[in-house]
Amino acid sequence: MSDWPEFETIQSLTDPQVIQLHELYRSEWWSGGRRLEDVRRLIENSRFIFGICDSRSKRLVAFARVLTDGIFKALIFDVIVAQDFRDLGLGGRLLDSVLAHPGLQGVKQFELYCLPELVPYYERWGFSTEVGGVVLMRKENGE
Ligand SMILES: CC(C)(COP(=O)(O)OP(=O)(O)OC[C@H]1O[C@@H](n2cnc3c(N)ncnc32)[C@H](O)[C@@H]1OP(=O)(O)O)[C@@H](O)C(=O)NCCC(=O)NCCS
């Protein structure tokens, strides 16, 4: 039997996988400060969860989540692949799972935000920066 892992797609996380997600977040500049208890709440409050794990060990190696109103918008957040499993197509497999999910088929627009370097990557799935001139705005809560 090959030592190379086989992967399975999951739509909920076990408690060890939530801890592994916290580790994935800790390794990225945009999510490094997230606390484990907040990651637990984030999971509870995100209706659509997409994970990929090693079929044997069940280790979580890739993750994304979607917030949606079910009709107009579906926002894809936190697309992340473990560093030792990048460039194997797992990020693409996650995006395929998101876009094909039966619960999201009625939604008119999928959206995400990313660094400019990743624009060509997401363009492969039909995402475009042509969004009618709108810009992302943000207010830090409490300021
Ligand atoms: C971006 C990310 C999810 C891609 O996942 P992946 O499983 O490694 O990607 P895939 O195997 O599906 O695709 C690999 C392709 O993406 C490209 N790619 C991956 N990361 C990239 C980056 N930061 N900038 C530009 N291209 C990138 C690779 O060059 C490769 O291109 P190729 O197919 O022409 O060889 C992964 O690199 C990651 O987790 N990055 C850190 C977290 C992050 O920044 N997430 C994005 C949030 S918007």
Side-chain angles (χ1 to χ4, degrees):
M1 190 190 292
S2 161
D3 282 343
W4 188 245
E6 290 181 13
F7 300 106
E8 69 185 76
T9 304
I10 53 178
Q11 292 188 343
S12 61
L13 301 188
T14 62
D15 202 49
Q17 287 167 341
V18 174
I19 293 166
Q20 289 156 7
L21 173 60
H22 181 234
E23 287 301 315
L24 292 180
Y25 281 145
R26 276 161 54 105
S27 61
E28 299 305 322
W29 61 270
W30 45 269
S31 55
R34 292 182 183 182
R35 298 176 307 168
L36 179 58
E37 60 263 42
D38 292 335
V39 175
R40 288 191 206 286
R41 290 186 64 198
L42 167 161
I43 292 295
E44 283 166 17
N45 293 330
S46 300
R47 177 149 165 237
F48 292 94
I49 296 292
F50 299 83
I52 297 175
C53 67
D54 179 322
S55 302
R56 267 182 284 176
S57 70
K58 304 300 179 194
R59 174 190 161 197
L60 184 75
V61 295
F63 176 82
R65 66 190 173 104
V66 173
L67 301 183
T68 183
D69 55 23
I71 176 72
F72 294 110
K73 302 280 187 184
L75 272 167
I76 304 170
F77 287 105
D78 301 349
V79 181
I80 184 165
V81 175
Q83 284 177 6
D84 45 341
F85 288 94
R86 288 186 187 165
D87 288 331
L88 298 175
L90 295 183
R93 184 163 153 176
L94 276 179
L95 285 167
D96 288 341
S97 301
V98 168
L99 299 176
H101 193 288
L104 297 170
Q105 292 316 297
V107 175
K108 295 187 186 344
Q109 292 177 330
F110 290 91
E111 294 180 351
L112 57 83
Y113 52 90
C114 68
L115 290 177
E117 67 188 35
L118 277 166
V119 166
Y121 181 70
Y122 290 115
E123 281 177 341
R124 297 178 193 178
W125 283 270
F127 288 87
S128 169
T129 56
E130 301 296 320
V131 291
V134 297
V135 295
L136 177 66
M137 291 184 71
R138 177 178 295 151
K139 174 176 161 45
E140 299 294 336
N141 201 6
E143 290 179 6

